[in-house]
Amino acid sequence: MRVVDGFPRGGGRARLQFSPRAAAMRLRTLNFDLSLKPMQIRLSLAVFLAVAAAGCANESGARLGLTSAKSPVLAILADDLFTGEAVGYMDRTGTIDIASVVDPNLKCVGQFRYTGSKAGVATVRCNDGGVGELSFNGLSLLSGYGYGTTSRGPASFTFGLTPEQALKYLTLPKGKQLIKREKGPVLESV
């Protein structure tokens, strides 16, 4: 068998020979300069950091960063409005930090985790001894809503939604309405 143009012709076996020198010459012809100059590196890094810092945000102020997402939280625990923030991480867990609008000294902190593609569970503990077990559903990467029970009574909450959007999912106390003020949302009598 003889080899013509790299393909065997005729019968028999082809004997292929490897030439290190020929292989090295071919590699040299494929080698091209990928090195960046210091100014190009600085410019590339600056562009990358600007895009990362801007992140992805929605109208409620929820923001997606490189390794976490932060969303504002509105919660009704019994007859009280709580506001704060939820921070989610890439491992599908996160933290909750909220405080009462009526008494800012009343605070609740907790943790959440996703149990499905858009559903999850959360627990919160308040500094007055209250405890809550909640479940939630994501509406988007940065927003969602949930319900549950606390030792204070029923609970409903939203994350990553404006107060106007949150009204669809919050269970307000009887005779109360959610009003958006300069300092933030409040519950007022109807």
Side-chain angles (χ1 to χ4, degrees), residues 44-65:
S44 298
L45 184 59
V47 169
F48 173 76
L49 290 176
V51 169
C56 177
N58 72 14
E59 61 187 294
S60 75
R63 210 169 257 309
L64 180 62

Side-chain angles (χ1 to χ4, degrees), residues 53-175:
C56 177
N58 72 14
E59 61 187 294
S60 75
R63 210 169 257 309
L64 180 62
L66 288 177
T67 60
S68 64
K70 293 182 181 181
S71 296
V73 174
L74 289 176
I76 306 288
L77 305 181
D79 291 338
D80 199 353
L81 174 65
F82 286 72
T83 61
E85 182 178 76
V87 178
Y89 302 102
M90 293 175 70
D91 66 355
R92 299 174 49 84
T93 66
T95 60
I96 304 163
D97 189 359
I98 56 177
S100 167
V101 171
V102 175
D103 179 9
N105 292 320
L106 178 54
K107 298 179 183 205
C108 303
V109 295
Q111 298 177 346
F112 67 86
R113 66 183 168 84
Y114 280 85
T115 57
S117 62
K118 288 191 171 189
V121 294
T123 57
V124 292
R125 295 191 183 281
C126 302
N127 61 0
D128 70 348
V131 178
E133 298 292 326
L134 312 164
S135 59
F136 64 89
N137 292 302
L139 295 170
S140 74
L141 194 56
L142 295 172
S143 64
Y145 65 94
Y147 301 97
T149 58
T150 70
S151 53
R152 301 172 59 115
S156 62
F157 66 96
T158 64
F159 58 94
L161 298 177
T162 66
E164 297 80 16
Q165 295 166 331
L167 283 172
K168 181 177 178 182
Y169 303 100
L170 294 175
T171 305
L172 300 178
K174 288 187 180 196

Side-chain angles (χ1 to χ4, degrees), residues 1-3 8-14:
M1 172 190 251
R2 58 190 183 120
V3 177
R9 303 281 185 213
R13 295 182 176 204

